[in-house]
Amino acid sequence: MPASLVEILNELERIAAYDGPWKPLRRETRALGERVRELVARESHEDDVLVIALVGGSGVGKSTVLNALAGDHLAETSEFRPCTSQPTVYHPPGVSLDFGAWRRISGSALENLVIVDTPDSDTVVREHRALVADVLAKCDLIMLCGSQEKYLDEATWSLLRPLQGERSMVCVETKAQGPESIEEHWRARLREQGFQIAAYFRVNALRTLDRKLAGNNPGDGEFDFPKLERFLNNELSAERIARIKRANAAGLLAKTVARLEDSVAGLRPAVDALNRHLVQGDKAVARESLGIVERRLFTESYLWHFALGREVGLRAKGIVGTLYRMVEAVRSLPARAAGWLPWNLARPDAGRRAASLLISREVFEEDLALASEEIARVYRNRQSELGFAFARTGFDPPPEDAGLDEYRKELNDRVAAVLRGPGREDVVRRARWLTGWPAVIAADSVPGFFLLYAGYRIVHEFFTPQALPPGYITHAAVVLFILLGAELFAMSLLARAAAWAARTRALNALQIALYAPDLAFRPERRILEDARRLLDTVDRLKRAIPQ
Amino acid sequence: MQDDLGRSLGGFDAALARLWRDLAGQPALRGHVFAGTEEWRALLAYKLVPHLVGEGCLVVAVTGGTNTGKSTVVNLLVGMEATPVRTTAAATCRPLLAGSPERAAQCLQGKLVPEFTPRRLEDPEDVIRFEGPENLLYVCEAPNLPGRIVILDTPDIDSIETRNWEVANHIRAAGDVLVATLTPEKYKDERVVDFFRRAHAAGRVVLPLLNKANPANGFAAGRQQLEEFIRDVGLESPACFILPHDYESAHDYARPIPALGGGETLREHIERLDTAAIKRRVYHDTVARFAGEAESFLEVVDETARQMKRVVAEFEDRARQFALRYDPAPGPAVGGLFHEFVQSKRGPVARGVGRIGSGVARGAASLGRALRHAVLRRAQLERPTAESESDLQRRHRESIERISRDLATSFLASGRNLAGPAADMVAGRLDALDLEAAVKRVASETLRCESISDDFRRHAERTLENWWNDHRGKRQVLLALDTVLAIMPAAIAVPISIYVGGIGLPETMIVAGPLMEQFIVRVIEYQFGDAMFDFLSPWRDEQRAHLVTALNKHLTGPALAAVRETLASLEGETAAELRGWLEQCRQAL
């Protein structure tokens, strides 16, 4: 078996094993499985013996043809119908084939050929039809027998039609009498119905048998019988036999793939449409989820302020910075206190967790969990739309809530990745900028200079007779207090602005992250991918097989 | 009697044609219901009804497998080459009627076999061309045939030309006497034997004729072959005829067709047949057979109707099941509904005092909320968002839309799995359905008013009013509790202000007023709420009933439209009429 054929068979077997939710394909798989099994059986059948089936309506003389070929009364013949009731296998000595309980006669001189005489295909004995179908399944070459009276019978033709292209066929016109032949009419009708005939023989088997029994040499009135014998003896060489077998297998394979292609080709647009639907659904869910996340996490500006304040507090230096740190510690006390309490004051704590993700040190050491009903509702709404589209295309609808957990996890992961990544970096960067040396120097220089100046005045006045005006120190302290207050206020404003800017940037990053493909509907996507892969396989198979 | 029978048969035929037309829109269903009826419908159309209009004459049809020599036999019977003989199989594809000039003329006027379209045979080769209308019948004159016999040449019944089979089946229905043309190769073929078995069962006279027989030993083989055929078909010792294999005299149409045991020839036998008796028997057997078959046809119709009904019931039930998933709930604004209701029943004094008291309490409560919020704001990183009425409406709408879509999906899935013709009808309708529009209509029809809370409030007030009127004792207790509630703030405030001269009164009110109010409201609700005011569930049921109605109207209805339509024709007047005619027919028999 060539390697490519093994691959093709493997792929066909894979398709035949499909048990997914796609009904139109599932319908095909059983028939396909049977065909693949037959193909494998044919391919593994290595022997070079050609099995020829003699097929035809009752009384056309199938058994007589066999007897004439053998030159002896091997098979029973009679005027009464039906005559043959068991297939007779006529084979050369030493050939072992699995033919069950069929009657076997060894001693054929036709090397490499096994001829099977079949019962009729058209009488009231219905079991005979099944037997003929059985022989047809096992044979490589069909020798279709017909007489002038019986050659267009539906009963026989209906057995042959399913095997079109899978078996080589030759026609034998029996009981030839005068010059009038049915060859032209018969061949034309066979051609009309798509049968291809490799050879045509017009014989009078009874005369040949009589002549052979009498021990005479070939004479007149036997028509094409000598030609038929020559065909069987000489032309069906081992090479030709191999070719016939290959052609049969190729025919079966091509037919299998063509039928598969026929049944699934029309499904591709449906799958594509479904895919577009899925992408739209994905986008819609992303849009709505973004809305929810935005409403729940990103409107809380103090979440960002809280995170930024913490980062600033960690790094703050200088006079103003230290003061800011102290103020921040007091200001965030309720939030921290909430964490210390055994019960949770802040009821829905997704925000708290999000805040912890924004802070570079894991304060709460928890992951974000957006498990709100609203998210489930958004998902289910879109899923129900998709479910109908899937059912309309012939897929079994995916189970309810399938993929919801996967979606939640993916959404949480994406939000967490943004908060932990660009969101946090932005917050930290801005905190660094606010607490960097230039900012510290700029902030501390005003109170610093004021302190220096006030100190200088106090020291200077101490060594001069001129006394400081009364209340100078109080006055200076008030001025310093006002200065520091103004600076703290300015810093707080800056921190808020920075927090707001960080929030906006994070929101943009989140938007990009959520609109990235493959957010929701994982089970549906997997089903579609399976279907698409199968369609691609069928396409590939079709290209791989020469038509 | 004959008139009654004729009328009922005619009526049945017309009603049947109506049913056939009614089901034209559903080819799959029609195929299912009318499966296996071809035979007796042909009997009805080609035999029973024509018999009533045409004048009686014996129709002899020469039938058999392909290439058995039917045309040769016809020519031998007619005594001339009326129809071309070919050595190739399946040559004749049009029926040919040969009769005396008067009969031929009668036939051409459409009086003899009215279901066929007669045409005079101009060129004998016409019968081997398949052109023109489906039910074409060629007619030729055979001057030496007696007037009470016409002979029909027919296409084969077993070749690959399946269209020939149908013509042959019609001929079988039309004929009174069938000449079964056999050959040594074809006397045992399943299709051939089956064909004649059916003809015999329908009361036809079957005359076996073995063509191309082996004359050796006085036709010993032929004798046995004919015996086997007679046994297979179940004939009762019919006259048998035999023609030897004879190429030389193939075109000699003057020779007779001899009987197997000698005696009268086929032509003589046919001429001697008692036309009236055969006609009577054929007619009677045909009617009997027709009645039996029509009976089982009506059973099929009934069974199909039952199946359809089951589908309808199942789908409607499923809509109800899906509606249970709808869980409507009013917004939080209606939480104090019960209390409000009781308040509305206060007397004028209590109402005045209560209004002042609750005004103070409300002010105090909002002040407390503001304080609490100011303290806890920093700790609450995420604020619970209050759901507005439009949010509520949207949520309900989405829920209804989801349920409708899921229902349509389940219809589609089970529609494909249904057995029989209902599957196509349901799936086809659902494929054509504009789901989104239907879903929108279901939602807007279920949510009848703008505000769900208002709707609920109205419903609850109705329920409460009824309860209030029905329960006198509990009403008194409630009113008493409410009075306490109404005057409570005043009862606290007055003594305190007398005692401390007004100092600390607002602070006391801030704490005591809301606490007291909440306490009493809880008492009222715990005491009575559970037991009596499960008014949510009747409202919910009402909403679900709205949903079921809307689902049935916009989803189940369209999905089952085709099923319902056909159910109407399967169960309607036409079916009843068919049954009536059949009953009359039986009585006339």
Side-chain angles (χ1 to χ4, degrees):
Chain A
M1 232 190 301
S4 64
L5 194 60
V6 176
E7 266 167 36
I8 289 175
L9 283 179
N10 283 344
E11 291 206 326
L12 281 174
E13 262 174 355
R14 255 202 306 282
I15 299 176
Y18 179 79
D19 191 28
W22 201 12
K23 261 183 232 161
L25 196 60
R26 222 165 45 208
R27 268 202 301 271
E28 295 300 319
T29 50
R30 190 192 301 178
L32 181 66
E34 271 165 28
R35 281 170 165 261
V36 171
R37 272 192 290 287
E38 191 186 336
L39 264 170
V40 171
R42 282 192 166 267
E43 282 305 317
S44 56
H45 217 61
E46 296 269 325
D47 53 52
D48 51 356
V49 173
L50 191 77
V51 180
I52 302 176
L54 280 167
V55 183
S58 159
V60 294
K62 298 178 293 292
S63 300
T64 313
V65 170
L66 178 67
N67 289 346
L69 283 172
D72 197 357
H73 281 295
L74 292 182
E76 201 184 335
T77 59
S78 137
E79 280 184 278
F80 301 105
R81 312 269 76 85
C83 167
T84 308
S85 59
Q86 262 296 323
T88 306
V89 183
Y90 182 54
H91 60 89
V95 171
S96 67
L97 285 165
D98 174 31
F99 282 135
W102 297 349
R103 186 168 161 243
R104 299 173 62 152
I105 298 171
S106 174
S108 165
L110 297 166
E111 257 179 74
N112 300 330
L113 297 186
V114 172
I115 302 179
V116 187
D117 180 25
T118 63
D120 61 89
S121 48
D122 56 353
T123 65
V124 286
V125 190
R126 294 204 177 160
E127 303 83 69
H128 287 186
R129 264 180 86 79
L131 276 173
V132 178
D134 214 10
V135 174
L136 282 173
K138 287 198 166 111
C139 78
D140 301 306
L141 180 81
I142 297 172
M143 206 179 261
L144 177 59
C145 301
S147 68
Q148 205 158 38
E149 264 111 50
K150 228 182 203 180
Y151 62 94
L152 286 192
D153 291 50
E154 175 63 18
T156 308
W157 287 52
S158 61
L159 281 175
L160 297 177
R161 268 185 214 113
L163 296 173
Q164 252 177 32
E166 294 172 26
R167 302 283 187 281
S168 304
M169 261 173 80
V170 296
C171 281
V172 178
E173 179 187 337
T174 55
K175 305 187 184 175
Q177 290 271 4
E180 259 181 84
S181 169
I182 53 171
E183 176 171 358
E184 205 182 320
H185 190 237
W186 195 6
R187 279 192 150 199
R189 301 312 308 270
L190 281 166
R191 209 165 35 242
E192 248 172 50
Q193 301 224 354
F195 290 101
Q196 295 203 338
I197 304 302
Y200 190 96
F201 304 100
R202 187 160 183 257
V203 302
N204 190 322
L206 202 57
R207 283 189 200 160
T208 309
L209 180 61
D210 288 346
R211 188 263 300 164
K212 280 192 178 176
L213 287 174
N216 295 337
N217 287 331
D220 290 343
E222 291 181 35
F223 297 91
D224 293 340
F225 205 90
K227 216 168 96 189
L228 172 64
E229 281 184 316
R230 266 204 305 286
F231 173 76
L232 294 177
N233 274 322
N234 308 334
E235 287 186 39
L236 289 183
S237 58
E239 191 199 339
R240 176 106 190 236
I241 288 174
R243 211 161 56 230
I244 288 178
K245 288 195 161 204
R246 266 206 305 279
N248 286 349
L252 176 59
L253 188 64
K255 232 164 108 174
T256 308
V257 174
R259 179 182 292 195
L260 189 64
E261 219 256 332
D262 277 356
S263 58
V264 300
L267 301 176
R268 191 178 276 280
V271 170
D272 287 344
L274 217 47
N275 206 42
R276 282 196 296 280
H277 215 103
L278 190 65
V279 170
Q280 276 169 14
D282 212 31
K283 283 240 170 67
V285 166
R287 193 171 53 241
E288 284 166 39
S289 305
L290 187 68
I292 293 170
V293 174
E294 197 184 332
R295 274 202 302 284
R296 290 173 69 88
L297 294 183
F298 283 78
T299 41
E300 319 299 333
S301 55
Y302 45 79
L303 186 155
W304 298 83
H305 198 199
F306 172 80
L308 191 80
R310 212 193 120 78
E311 294 298 329
V312 169
L314 285 174
R315 291 174 178 77
K317 37 193 176 280
I319 305 165
V320 179
T322 310
L323 281 174
Y324 182 82
R325 192 173 184 167
M326 285 156 71
V327 170
E328 185 60 36
V330 174
R331 202 176 63 87
S332 65
L333 193 64
R336 282 178 291 131
W340 303 329
L341 291 173
W343 68 89
N344 220 337
L345 266 174
R347 272 182 310 157
D349 58 359
R352 217 154 55 82
R353 291 180 184 175
S356 84
L357 291 179
L358 277 173
I359 302 165
S360 55
R361 262 177 241 169
E362 307 290 341
V363 186
F364 300 107
E365 291 173 357
E366 286 167 44
D367 263 337
L368 178 72
L370 294 162
S372 77
E373 262 307 297
E374 216 177 336
I375 286 174
R377 210 166 55 231
V378 162
Y379 186 82
R380 287 200 193 107
N381 280 343
R382 295 293 164 183
Q383 198 194 22
S384 80
E385 282 172 16
L386 265 183
F388 185 76
F390 266 69
R392 203 169 239 186
T393 317
F395 286 93
D396 288 337
E400 260 176 83
D401 279 358
L404 179 59
D405 287 342
E406 269 179 280
Y407 164 66
R408 272 190 179 139
K409 191 172 172 308
E410 179 70 24
L411 182 65
N412 281 337
D413 286 353
R414 286 189 188 191
V415 173
V418 168
L419 291 182
R420 213 176 258 146
R424 176 190 286 182
E425 278 161 23
D426 212 39
V427 166
V428 172
R429 198 162 53 79
R430 281 163 209 273
R432 284 222 174 92
W433 178 73
L434 276 178
T435 56
W437 280 114
V440 168
I441 289 167
D444 281 2
S445 55
V446 178
F449 280 125
F450 183 77
L451 270 178
L452 275 178
Y453 171 70
Y456 167 76
R457 280 282 304 270
I458 291 168
V459 171
H460 182 261
E461 295 304 321
F462 183 74
F463 292 104
T464 55
Q466 200 179 350
L468 277 171
Y472 175 80
I473 293 180
T474 315
H475 187 76
V478 168
V479 170
L480 184 65
F481 191 74
I482 289 171
L483 275 178
L484 284 175
E487 291 223 343
L488 272 179
F489 181 68
M491 189 155 174
S492 179
L493 277 185
L494 272 178
R496 270 171 198 275
W500 188 256
R503 173 194 172 275
T504 313
R505 282 180 70 109
L507 197 55
N508 287 340
L510 187 70
Q511 192 164 0
I512 292 166
L514 289 194
Y515 276 114
D518 207 12
L519 171 68
F521 309 119
R522 295 272 173 89
E524 285 86 350
R525 205 176 294 274
R526 279 194 289 273
I527 290 172
L528 267 194
E529 268 164 22
D530 276 355
R532 203 184 259 283
R533 239 194 325 276
L534 281 170
L535 287 177
D536 288 344
T537 310
V538 173
D539 264 8
R540 208 170 45 248
L541 284 179
K542 190 169 174 258
R543 278 197 301 277
I545 290 173
Q547 295 299 309
Chain B
M1 180 201 119
Q2 205 75 344
D3 281 354
D4 285 353
L5 196 56
R7 217 182 28 257
S8 48
L9 282 174
F12 191 92
D13 189 40
L16 193 68
R18 208 158 50 242
L19 186 63
W20 175 264
R21 270 199 312 278
D22 283 352
L23 298 183
Q26 304 294 339
L29 177 82
R30 190 159 74 174
H32 173 78
V33 172
F34 281 89
T37 62
E38 295 79 10
E39 169 129 6
W40 64 264
R41 277 195 293 128
L43 282 182
L44 185 69
Y46 291 92
K47 191 72 201 168
L48 298 179
V49 176
H51 184 92
L52 301 166
V53 290
E55 293 169 43
C57 87
L58 206 59
V59 180
V60 180
V62 180
T63 49
T66 173
N67 226 356
T68 49
K70 294 179 291 297
S71 299
T72 309
V73 173
V74 167
N75 290 341
L76 286 172
L77 281 174
V78 178
M80 60 180 228
E81 183 165 358
T83 168
V85 173
R86 288 284 178 277
T87 51
T88 51
T92 305
C93 55
R94 292 298 196 182
L96 170 81
L97 182 140
S100 63
E102 301 80 53
R103 284 293 178 195
Q106 195 185 12
C107 181
L108 281 170
Q109 287 162 8
K111 283 185 183 162
L112 206 57
V113 271
E115 288 298 315
F116 287 99
T117 308
R119 184 182 288 179
R120 184 180 292 281
L121 184 72
E122 306 289 353
D123 176 6
E125 302 282 320
D126 277 347
V127 296
I128 56 177
R129 284 187 212 116
F130 202 89
E131 284 160 11
E134 297 259 317
N135 58 346
L136 194 61
L137 172 75
Y138 283 105
V139 179
C140 81
E141 287 179 12
N144 52 1
L145 267 182
R148 54 190 201 84
I149 294 176
V150 292
I151 294 194
L152 273 169
D153 184 20
T154 67
D156 66 84
I157 53 172
D158 62 346
S159 82
I160 52 172
E161 300 289 359
T162 42
R163 62 187 179 191
N164 286 359
W165 302 6
E166 202 172 326
V167 180
N169 281 335
H170 292 169
I171 297 290
R172 178 177 63 193
D176 299 309
V177 176
L178 298 184
V179 177
T181 314
L182 310 168
T183 63
E185 287 169 0
K186 282 226 162 129
Y187 70 92
K188 198 118 185 171
D189 282 11
E190 191 190 353
R191 274 203 63 82
V192 175
V193 170
D194 196 48
F195 180 88
F196 289 110
R197 199 183 288 141
R198 282 159 186 264
H200 177 64
R204 302 297 183 279
V205 176
V206 176
L207 297 175
L209 159 65
L210 189 69
N211 192 12
K212 308 182 192 178
N214 181 359
N217 296 333
F219 295 110
R223 221 174 276 274
Q224 199 175 334
Q225 286 162 349
L226 279 170
E227 264 170 35
E228 276 184 30
F229 175 76
I230 289 164
R231 204 179 49 236
D232 286 340
V233 175
L235 302 175
E236 289 124 25
S237 52
C240 295
F241 301 88
I242 203 147
L243 267 178
H245 213 297
D246 189 0
Y247 279 109
E248 281 68 46
S249 53
H251 293 284
D252 171 19
Y253 295 124
R255 66 200 160 109
I257 298 172
L260 183 58
E264 56 186 3
T265 64
L266 179 59
R267 171 83 180 261
E268 287 163 0
H269 183 80
I270 290 171
E271 279 176 15
R272 258 184 12 83
L273 284 173
D274 181 355
T275 309
I278 288 178
K279 279 270 172 196
R280 239 189 343 268
R281 203 185 86 205
V282 166
Y283 189 63
H284 184 269
D285 285 3
T286 309
V287 172
R289 187 177 165 82
F290 154 76
E293 300 274 2
E295 183 83 43
S296 38
F297 165 73
L298 287 175
E299 269 166 29
V300 171
V301 169
D302 280 351
E303 177 55 35
T304 314
R306 271 199 296 279
Q307 249 177 31
M308 304 255 164
K309 263 195 198 149
R310 273 202 295 278
V311 171
V312 170
E314 197 197 310
F315 272 44
E316 282 176 350
D317 188 51
R318 182 145 345 140
R320 273 192 295 279
Q321 294 293 330
F322 269 72
L324 287 183
R325 295 186 188 177
Y326 181 46
D327 200 8
V334 296
L337 193 65
F338 176 53
H339 187 209
E340 273 172 35
F341 178 77
V342 179
Q343 277 177 344
S344 73
K345 299 288 174 192
R346 281 174 180 168
V349 178
R351 191 180 298 162
V353 176
R355 203 170 282 159
I356 298 165
S358 63
V360 174
R362 250 204 306 279
S366 59
L367 187 63
R369 260 201 304 279
L371 279 175
R372 182 169 162 270
H373 179 68
V375 174
L376 290 181
R377 198 170 76 102
R378 302 285 168 212
Q380 238 171 350
L381 288 173
E382 192 177 7
R383 244 173 287 160
T385 47
E387 198 176 34
S388 71
E389 189 57 42
S390 68
D391 284 342
L392 193 70
Q393 186 86 4
R394 188 170 50 84
R395 195 155 56 78
H396 282 76
R397 179 175 287 276
E398 279 176 0
S399 162
I400 293 169
E401 288 181 357
R402 194 167 62 233
I403 289 167
S404 319
R405 257 185 240 116
D406 287 350
L407 179 67
T409 306
S410 111
F411 280 169
L412 206 54
S414 54
R416 288 190 212 280
N417 291 337
L418 283 177
D424 283 342
M425 289 156 85
V426 173
R429 287 295 170 123
L430 277 171
D431 277 338
L433 178 71
D434 179 3
L435 180 75
E436 284 311 311
V439 161
K440 291 258 160 1
R441 279 199 295 275
V442 170
S444 56
E445 228 160 89
T446 311
L447 301 171
R448 286 153 188 228
C449 53
E450 288 296 304
S451 162
I452 291 170
S453 300
D454 283 353
D455 186 59
F456 173 71
R457 195 185 296 272
R458 275 195 293 281
H459 184 274
E461 271 165 13
R462 271 203 310 282
T463 322
L464 281 169
E465 198 68 54
N466 289 341
W467 181 87
W468 190 260
N469 295 334
D470 291 352
H471 296 78
R472 182 181 285 271
K474 289 183 179 176
R475 191 168 78 193
Q476 296 304 331
V477 177
L478 272 175
L479 275 176
L481 272 172
D482 186 61
T483 311
V484 172
L485 180 65
I487 60 171
M488 187 66 73
I492 296 169
V494 170
I496 288 179
S497 56
I498 292 170
Y499 186 69
V500 299
I503 300 162
L505 180 67
E507 293 80 358
T508 314
M509 291 299 293
I510 283 170
V511 179
L515 279 179
M516 238 18 234
E517 186 186 354
Q518 287 302 312
F519 177 73
I520 304 238
V521 166
R522 293 287 168 270
V523 168
I524 295 176
E525 280 177 1
Y526 279 115
Q527 202 60 36
F528 299 97
D530 291 355
M532 63 178 193
F533 289 150
D534 194 11
F535 41 62
L536 200 57
S537 61
W539 176 72
R540 215 169 249 163
D541 290 346
E542 198 184 285
Q543 295 297 309
R544 281 180 186 151
H546 288 326
L547 178 59
V548 170
T549 316
L551 282 176
N552 277 342
K553 188 168 159 199
H554 297 296
L555 277 179
T556 321
L560 294 177
V563 176
R564 287 211 172 102
E565 267 169 36
T566 41
L567 199 55
S569 30
L570 288 182
E571 283 196 318
E573 278 175 31
T574 313
E577 208 178 306
L578 279 172
R579 235 163 251 125
W581 286 125
L582 187 64
E583 192 46 42
Q584 281 190 25
C585 193
R586 279 188 181 287
Q587 277 164 11
L589 259 180

